[in-house]
């Protein structure tokens, strides 16, 4: 078992009780990056040799990805935060919908399976609570590499065209710098015949982590982290040992929580330049930030309103937009938060308004007038990052809050409440005897305020 498995229906009957007006103090240890670990697990399908991954966070998303690999015949040994992955006995079959359902990263398997075994059948990952999340960039890129792809009954069926057993290196220009598509195509191209160039590639640190691991496995990938990545295909990839990079989104969430409560904390280990857009905004909003090696200390002062626009790396990460919005609810002045990556990532706004925040939402832009205080209440989170935003709001608020929808939180934050407890926050997971009804998790959205525009 990869992580402490929490049955989804049980998770739905749990909540976090938060005693408001808390303060954080101390040092918090940052876990390995979820988004890196997910793609590194998929990349392990590219070799028959053993991959040893260190610093893998124990999360339900990782558990799901592990179960997908096991279903293909991968032998997975889980020792604390270390995973030993052995893909030598895998059998190629359609990934079952029950396993991929709800895990968008499951689609990553298509690249390695196609390029190593010549075929792959992966169910469409579907949309999610933050937007429709198409996969056209993955599909078009794989086709350019020589794959024949059809979609039948929501299953993406891909195989190498003609009688060849290898994909063909080619030039691909992405329409948008999709993180997932860049990763899918890098993995597919690493075993292709000849050179592939990916232009307008995403530059997120998780992509650099993937390329570093693939290069350790024998791949020839140049310029990851730049807009144009070059991949010279090789015949075979081998095993390696790799340590997952620290989770910059978890790290940013703790920094934002500290700023929101006028608290001083140190986060470690982190790679400070992965967090530059976030620390710059925290600095602009009044915090003092000091960086020493692989740790960052925040010492907040008066909290001022600032504007943010989410953008691909090195811009401000969309995954921290919701927590930053929670922070701005109590900043002095007016801020404008613009979401440019996903079309429906403002689910937290009407909940923050219920708590007393003064926010006007126009499509994907939130106009916030800072208030002195917000009030605690019972709320249901509807996606991963908005659950973190609501917990931060609960910590700031006057009075107590109960945050439901923990199945989202547990997808992406390892031991979140234990870490907050260590920092001095009064927070407890409550287990209700009665299982909550699904309807309880339907959020009464304010339809005119939920943006439906196409993602940037
Ligand atoms: C990854 C991260 C997610 C993060 C996001 C943006 C993982 C597991 N998840 O998601 O946490 O919020 O990057 O930093 O790594 N798009 C298309 N066509 C495609 C693919 C994407 O139009 O084929 C659009 C999407 O709808 C979205 C934008 O591109 O508007 C960015 O999506 P993408 O970068 O692909 O995000 P993910 O890889 O799904």
């Amino acid at each position: 078992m990869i992580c402490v498995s929490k049955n989804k229906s049980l998770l739905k009957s749990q909540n976090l009780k938060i005693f408001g007006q808390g303060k954080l103090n101390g040092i918090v240890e940052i876990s390995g990056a979820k988004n890196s670990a997910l793609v590194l697990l998929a990349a392990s399908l590219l070799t028959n040799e053993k991959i040893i991954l260190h610093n893998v966070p124990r999360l339900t998303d990782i558990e799901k990805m592990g179960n997908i690999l096991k279903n293909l015949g991968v032998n997975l040994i889980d020792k604390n935060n270390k995973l030993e992955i052995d893909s030598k006995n895998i059998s190629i079959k359609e990934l079952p919908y029950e396993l991929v359902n709800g895990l968008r990263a499951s689609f990553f398997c298509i690249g390695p399976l196609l390029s190593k075994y010549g075929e792959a059948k992966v169910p469409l990952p579907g949309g999610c609570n933050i937007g429709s999340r198409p996969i056209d960039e993955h599909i078009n890129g794989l086709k350019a590499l020589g794959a024949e792809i059809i979609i039948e009954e929501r299953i993406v069926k891909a195989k190498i065209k003609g009688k060849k057993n290898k994909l063909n290196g080619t030039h691909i220009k992405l329409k948008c710098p999709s993180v997932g598509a860049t990763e899918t195509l890098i993995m597919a191209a690493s075993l292709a015949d000849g050179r592939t160039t990916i232009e307008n590639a995403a530059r997120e640190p998780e992509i650099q982590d993937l390329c570093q691991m693939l290069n350790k496995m024998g791949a020839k990938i140049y310029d990851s982290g730049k807009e144009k990545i070059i991949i010279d295909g090789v015949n075979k990839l081998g095993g390696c040992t790799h340590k997952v990079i620290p989770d910059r989104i978890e790290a940013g969430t703790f920094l934002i929580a500290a700023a929101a409560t006028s608290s001083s904390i140190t986060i470690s280990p982190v790679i400070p330049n992965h967090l530059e857009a976030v620390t710059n905004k925290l600095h602009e909003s009044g915090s003092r930030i000091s960086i020493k090696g692989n740790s960052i200390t925040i010492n907040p002062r008066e909290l001022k309103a600032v504007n943010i626009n989410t953008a691909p790396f090195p811009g401000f990460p969309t995954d921290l937009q919701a927590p930053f919005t929670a922070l701005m609810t109590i900043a002095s002045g007016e801020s404008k938060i613009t979401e440019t990556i996903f079309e429906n990532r403002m689910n937290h706004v009407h909940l923050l308004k219920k708590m007393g925040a003064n926010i006007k939402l126009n499509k994907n832009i939130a106009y916030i007038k800072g208030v002195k205080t917000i009030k605690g209440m019972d709320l249901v989170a509807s996606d991963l990052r908005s659950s973190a935003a609501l917990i931060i709001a609960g910590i700031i608020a006057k009075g107590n809050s109960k945050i439901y929808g923990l199945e989202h939180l547990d997808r992406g934050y390892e031991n979140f409440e234990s870490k907050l407890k260590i920092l001095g926050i009064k927070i407890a997971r409550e287990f209700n005897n009665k299982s909550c009804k699904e309807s309880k998790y339907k959020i009464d959205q304010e339809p005119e305020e939920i943006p439906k525009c196409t993602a940037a």
Side-chain angles (χ1 to χ4, degrees):
M1 198 169 68
I2 292 169
C3 74
V4 188
S5 185
K6 293 167 184 154
N7 178 299
K8 207 169 177 188
S9 63
L10 283 178
L11 278 170
K12 286 190 173 179
S13 64
Q14 297 174 14
N15 68 271
L16 282 181
K17 183 167 185 186
I18 302 167
F19 296 83
Q21 294 183 311
K23 280 253 183 202
L24 290 74
N25 180 33
I27 301 174
V28 63
E29 194 181 330
I30 301 302
S31 298
K34 166 183 85 80
N35 288 350
S36 265
L38 285 170
V39 72
L40 297 178
L41 276 164
S44 67
L45 292 170
L46 284 161
T47 177
N48 290 341
E49 294 175 22
K50 212 178 259 179
I51 300 286
I52 298 175
L53 275 184
H54 291 277
N55 204 28
V56 180
R58 297 167 80 85
L59 300 167
T60 53
D61 266 11
I62 301 291
E63 180 183 27
K64 277 189 173 184
M65 194 66 168
N67 288 337
I68 289 171
L69 297 194
K70 282 187 200 164
N71 186 269
L72 288 167
V74 171
N75 188 19
L76 214 56
I77 302 171
D78 171 29
K79 288 185 196 146
N80 297 317
N81 293 89
K82 173 180 151 194
L83 278 184
E84 284 184 27
I85 309 157
D86 182 346
S87 305
K88 71 171 175 292
N89 292 324
I90 78 171
S91 58
I92 298 307
K93 53 184 172 187
E94 189 174 304
L95 298 185
Y97 181 74
E98 337 54 276
L99 287 184
V100 308
N101 184 22
L103 182 66
R104 189 175 162 77
S106 58
F107 200 68
F108 290 150
C109 295
I110 198 166
L113 290 177
L114 180 65
S115 71
K116 182 150 192 285
Y117 299 95
E119 61 170 322
K121 290 180 190 149
V122 184
L124 280 171
C128 68
N129 293 349
I130 61 170
S132 61
R133 305 186 82 172
I135 47 154
D136 53 315
E137 297 277 23
H138 304 241
I139 302 278
N140 293 339
L142 291 173
K143 281 184 176 167
L145 283 162
E148 203 171 74
I149 301 184
I150 51 167
I151 302 176
E152 260 177 2
E153 291 171 358
R154 302 194 56 76
I155 312 285
V156 181
K157 298 178 179 172
K159 60 177 188 197
I160 294 175
K161 227 191 265 174
K163 293 206 168 78
K164 294 190 60 181
N165 60 2
K166 285 194 114 199
L167 291 167
N168 257 333
T170 188
H171 176 76
I172 299 166
K173 185 165 183 182
L174 296 177
K175 279 190 271 140
C176 65
S178 154
V179 176
T182 304
E183 292 169 336
T184 291
L185 299 174
I186 288 171
M187 290 187 279
S190 62
L191 286 179
D193 239 350
R195 173 167 285 198
T196 299
T197 46
I198 307 176
E199 250 188 90
N200 198 23
R203 291 182 280 161
E204 269 63 7
E206 295 74 24
I207 292 170
Q208 298 175 43
D209 202 23
L210 168 68
C211 294
Q212 260 182 28
M213 183 174 103
L214 288 172
N215 282 343
K216 280 186 200 167
M217 291 164 70
K220 292 196 168 132
I221 306 173
Y222 313 100
D223 291 345
S224 72
K226 297 196 178 157
E227 274 176 46
K228 184 172 162 189
I229 299 180
I230 298 166
I231 306 126
D232 283 333
V234 294
N235 285 329
K236 192 171 165 248
L237 292 168
C240 77
T241 297
H242 187 76
K243 186 172 176 192
V244 179
I245 54 169
D247 195 312
R248 64 194 169 101
I249 305 301
E250 186 203 9
T253 305
F254 278 105
L255 290 177
I256 291 168
T261 51
S262 274
S263 308
S264 297
I265 62 163
T266 296
I267 56 167
S268 176
V270 288
I271 300 174
N273 65 26
H274 291 176
L275 279 150
E276 216 168 279
V278 182
T279 48
N280 284 347
K281 280 293 165 188
L282 287 169
H283 175 73
E284 195 186 324
S285 66
S287 294
R288 261 176 302 163
I289 302 282
S290 44
I291 297 171
K292 229 189 218 171
N294 68 354
S295 66
I296 300 179
T297 299
I298 179 165
N299 290 297
R301 289 176 292 188
E302 201 211 337
L303 180 62
K304 292 181 293 208
V306 294
N307 300 334
I308 62 163
N309 284 335
T310 62
F313 190 82
F316 191 94
T318 172
D319 287 349
L320 285 173
Q321 178 264 109
F324 208 88
T325 302
L327 169 68
M328 287 296 103
T329 61
I330 53 154
S332 109
E334 296 182 13
S335 51
K336 181 179 163 197
I337 311 282
T338 309
E339 173 58 52
T340 72
I341 307 291
F342 291 108
E343 73 270 30
N344 196 16
R345 209 171 206 183
M346 288 291 183
N347 293 325
H348 44 290
V349 165
H350 77 285
L351 298 172
L352 293 172
K353 281 171 75 172
K354 283 186 181 172
M355 296 177 87
N358 183 346
I359 311 178
K360 181 100 192 103
L361 188 62
N362 182 3
K363 295 189 173 147
N364 57 345
I365 305 176
Y367 298 90
I368 309 171
K369 277 190 186 154
V371 292
K372 284 230 148 39
T373 176
I374 53 176
K375 56 181 188 299
M377 58 191 304
D378 294 358
L379 296 165
V380 184
S382 63
D383 65 73
L384 168 58
R385 305 304 170 185
S386 71
S387 64
L390 295 182
I391 292 167
I392 291 174
I395 294 172
I396 303 168
K398 197 164 178 192
N400 300 339
S401 299
K402 284 186 180 180
I403 308 298
Y404 293 84
L406 300 187
E407 66 275 17
H408 301 294
L409 181 78
D410 292 335
R411 280 186 45 219
Y413 287 93
E414 188 180 45
N415 302 328
F416 198 49
E417 73 258 28
S418 320
K419 291 183 182 183
L420 285 169
K421 253 188 218 165
I422 292 168
L423 292 171
I425 297 300
K426 286 193 193 152
I427 187 168
R429 192 174 282 239
E430 295 184 326
F431 299 84
N432 308 308
N433 291 331
K434 281 188 301 197
S435 152
C436 295
K437 288 215 172 75
E438 192 70 28
S439 58
K440 184 152 187 175
Y441 289 86
K442 291 233 167 72
I443 295 176
D444 47 336
Q445 291 179 336
E446 296 160 36
E448 72 284 1
E449 291 195 333
I450 298 297
K452 289 275 183 279
C453 60
T454 314

